[in-house]
Amino acid sequence: MGSTAERGGAAELAAAIDHTLLAPTATAADVERLCDEARAHGFASVCVNGVHVARCRARLAGSAVRVACVVGFPLGADAPGAKRRAAEIALADGAEELDVVLQLGALRAGDHALVEHDLAGVVAAARAAGGLVKAILETGLLDAEETRRACRIAEASGASFVKTSTGFGPRGATRADVLLLRQCVGLRLGVKASGGIKSAALARELLAAGATRLGTSASLAILREALQDEPG
């Protein structure tokens, strides 16, 4: 984390990026292009909807790029059994990481047992397949105490990351969000900042605040900016 935040060069930024395509209109050709870009630039993963996972896994065969899939996206309001089944299908298709939206209504209502049960089911499916889970909190819809509570639940459920946003909510990631999430989970979990990250400057700021992964669909523009900033 430290070297990425301090140097912020193009290669370091690329290694922290989940190259993301979640548009409902994404075609097979769009997804294949996403995979080819991720392989060429050394992104951490591609992040896609479940229907595209098998295609990504095949396209990235032999590559170090991981395949991430969203679950319960973007509202988090699927039944727990439906989320777990969606997770199992994505994992069987080749996903290695699952970005799952919390039961936000239950969280805000104080039904923490449901929130943890919902997330723990996805975590159990991921662990059985050797995968990991990023819990999406949608921080733009939560106050600070709700965010802290969500972090505690995500950690208790066995999630490997807490993630700021879907990119479909009221706003994207902010430095304040990342600082709060890092404060809540310490060094025990990863922190993924996502939503509205369109510049190398913001990417570096979020990494410096404690993010260990960045979700963005503007990955190529960020790398171009980073390369322009490098000496020589």
Side-chain angles (χ1 to χ4, degrees), residues 37-168:
E37 291 165 351
R39 185 194 291 265
H41 295 288
F43 294 130
S45 81
V46 294
C47 186
V48 296
N49 287 297
V51 69
H52 301 302
V53 168
R55 182 178 300 276
C56 290
R57 182 71 282 152
R59 191 76 172 186
L60 290 166
S63 165
V65 179
R66 296 169 68 84
V67 178
C69 177
V70 292
V71 175
F73 193 87
L75 303 179
D78 296 357
K83 279 187 181 174
R84 178 161 184 161
R85 183 61 184 135
E88 291 168 345
I89 293 169
L91 292 158
D93 282 348
E96 299 159 279
E97 303 183 358
L98 302 174
D99 290 35
V100 56
V101 186
L102 294 188
Q103 288 276 3
L104 296 168
L107 176 72
R108 298 197 68 209
D111 190 352
H112 304 151
L114 173 56
V115 180
E116 184 171 344
H117 167 70
D118 178 66
L119 189 53
V122 176
V123 170
R127 283 182 172 170
L132 62 81
V133 169
K134 309 185 198 94
I136 306 175
L137 312 187
E138 200 67 279
T139 47
L141 294 175
L142 306 178
D143 62 28
E145 183 50 41
E146 289 168 336
T147 300
R148 293 187 188 96
R149 194 174 303 127
C151 285
R152 292 194 292 269
I153 293 170
E155 186 169 4
S157 76
S160 297
F161 282 75
V162 287
K163 175 178 171 181
T164 60
S165 322
T166 61
F168 288 73

Side-chain angles (χ1 to χ4, degrees), residues 226-232:
L227 285 168
Q228 290 171 357
D229 294 340
E230 290 183 347

Side-chain angles (χ1 to χ4, degrees), residues 138-228:
E138 200 67 279
T139 47
L141 294 175
L142 306 178
D143 62 28
E145 183 50 41
E146 289 168 336
T147 300
R148 293 187 188 96
R149 194 174 303 127
C151 285
R152 292 194 292 269
I153 293 170
E155 186 169 4
S157 76
S160 297
F161 282 75
V162 287
K163 175 178 171 181
T164 60
S165 322
T166 61
F168 288 73
R171 62 171 175 80
T174 67
R175 180 175 182 273
D177 288 333
V178 172
L179 288 170
L180 179 56
L181 267 55
R182 181 52 70 199
Q183 178 189 61
C184 290
V185 303
L187 297 177
R188 299 180 300 277
L189 273 63
V191 172
K192 178 174 174 180
S194 183
I197 305 171
K198 300 184 182 302
S199 71
L202 179 56
R204 292 188 185 107
E205 180 180 3
L206 296 172
L207 290 168
T212 47
R213 198 77 72 85
L214 304 173
T216 179
S217 58
S219 315
L220 301 184
I222 288 170
L223 290 194
R224 283 194 295 270
E225 181 185 334
L227 285 168
Q228 290 171 357

